[in-house]
Amino acid sequence: MTSDPMDIFTPEQLEAVLDGLTGPGWVVLRSVGSPELRAALRAELNALRESGGLKAAGVGQGGAHRRNEDIRGDSIAWLDATASPAQAQYLAGIDQLIAELNRQLFLGLKDAEAHFAWYTPEAFYKPHLDRFRSDDARTVSTVFYLNPDWPEDGGGELEIYDPEDPERLIARVPPEDGSLAVFLSDRIWHAVAPTRRDRLSIAGWLRRPRLH
Ligand code: OGA
Ligand code: MN
């Protein structure tokens, strides 16, 4: 494996993702990317919010897509590698992860999509899987957090449920700056607990060619 100063993952972090996905089906990495990259992404998300560039998120896909604040309360904007060096670097890092997962686990991933997300106080996302009924492309989910010094009572944790028993909560992940959750999109039920402060993140999905 070659390493480059623009890489966002260390070889150890890539190894931890392989272990997490082949073992429990999920893993949380800390200190992904540089503090400068995270600050740049945070500034871009703030600027999008101030310029009205975020849209209320929906649920479902295609004709079934609709806004539903009883299920999720975040606002989003899709990342675009041509929009800024920070977005390009983050998406290149995700491509590095795709290459590694294809090389080691033969997952057959072809590309990624990722959006910024902003949860204002009290927003949440109810338990769900990241797999649409009408589209099986989303295979591995990634959520990257951009919130320095998240307080213990800040709420907004990513809640992960036991794949063998989706009623059972097995982990609560604070959305601390630099943490990255990676999990199997069709197997790991997860939720966002109601947040008590503004919560910034990038949610992404590594995709296979669609089979249906
Ligand atoms: C999602 C999601 C979790 C998080 O956007 O699908 O589950 O911690 N996000 O933001
Ligand atoms: Mn999700």
Side-chain angles (χ1 to χ4, degrees):
M1 208 178 306
T2 55
S3 72
D4 181 290
M6 294 300 276
D7 284 352
I8 68 168
F9 296 109
T10 65
E12 294 72 25
Q13 287 172 328
L14 291 173
E15 193 68 36
V17 173
L18 296 175
D19 290 347
L21 295 183
T22 53
W26 63 278
V27 66
V28 178
L29 308 178
R30 305 292 303 267
S31 301
V32 170
S34 66
E36 294 74 24
L37 172 65
R38 277 135 42 190
L41 292 168
R42 187 158 55 243
E44 290 173 22
L45 177 45
N46 266 297
L48 282 164
R49 181 163 197 248
E50 278 167 16
S51 66
L54 300 180
K55 299 280 168 280
V59 295
Q61 204 195 25
H65 183 88
R66 64 200 187 280
R67 188 172 171 178
N68 191 335
E69 285 175 358
D70 297 336
I71 297 178
R72 66 184 295 190
D74 54 329
S75 294
I76 68 163
W78 293 94
L79 268 72
D80 173 357
T82 66
S84 74
Q87 292 181 46
Q89 190 186 354
Y90 184 72
L91 291 170
I94 296 295
D95 283 343
Q96 184 195 5
L97 183 59
I98 287 180
E100 187 68 9
L101 293 175
N102 284 344
R103 185 157 52 231
Q104 305 280 358
L105 305 180
F106 308 103
L107 285 186
L109 302 168
K110 73 168 175 39
D111 64 9
E113 58 186 352
H115 66 59
F116 287 112
W118 189 297
Y119 289 72
T120 51
E122 296 181 20
F124 55 81
Y125 196 155
K126 286 281 171 72
H128 63 282
L129 291 173
D130 283 346
R131 176 62 67 90
F132 296 119
R133 243 187 293 274
S134 59
D135 179 348
D136 57 5
R138 289 182 171 182
T139 302
V140 175
S141 302
T142 58
V143 195
F144 190 38
Y145 300 105
L146 301 172
N147 311 285
D149 306 315
W150 191 261
E152 221 165 294
D153 63 357
E157 294 90 354
L158 169 67
E159 299 180 328
I160 295 176
Y161 293 86
D162 184 348
E164 308 302 330
D165 176 7
E167 304 279 296
R168 199 167 80 90
L169 182 63
I170 53 173
R172 315 192 75 184
V173 181
E176 176 61 32
D177 192 44
S179 292
L180 179 84
V182 184
F183 53 90
L184 296 173
S185 306
D186 64 342
R187 234 175 103 65
I188 303 295
W189 284 86
H190 59 283
V192 177
T195 186
R196 296 202 187 85
R197 39 167 64 205
D198 289 310
R199 176 191 193 271
L200 285 63
S201 61
I202 298 174
W205 297 276
L206 317 188
R207 303 187 302 183
R208 280 184 181 147
R210 278 177 67 159
L211 297 176
H212 63 261

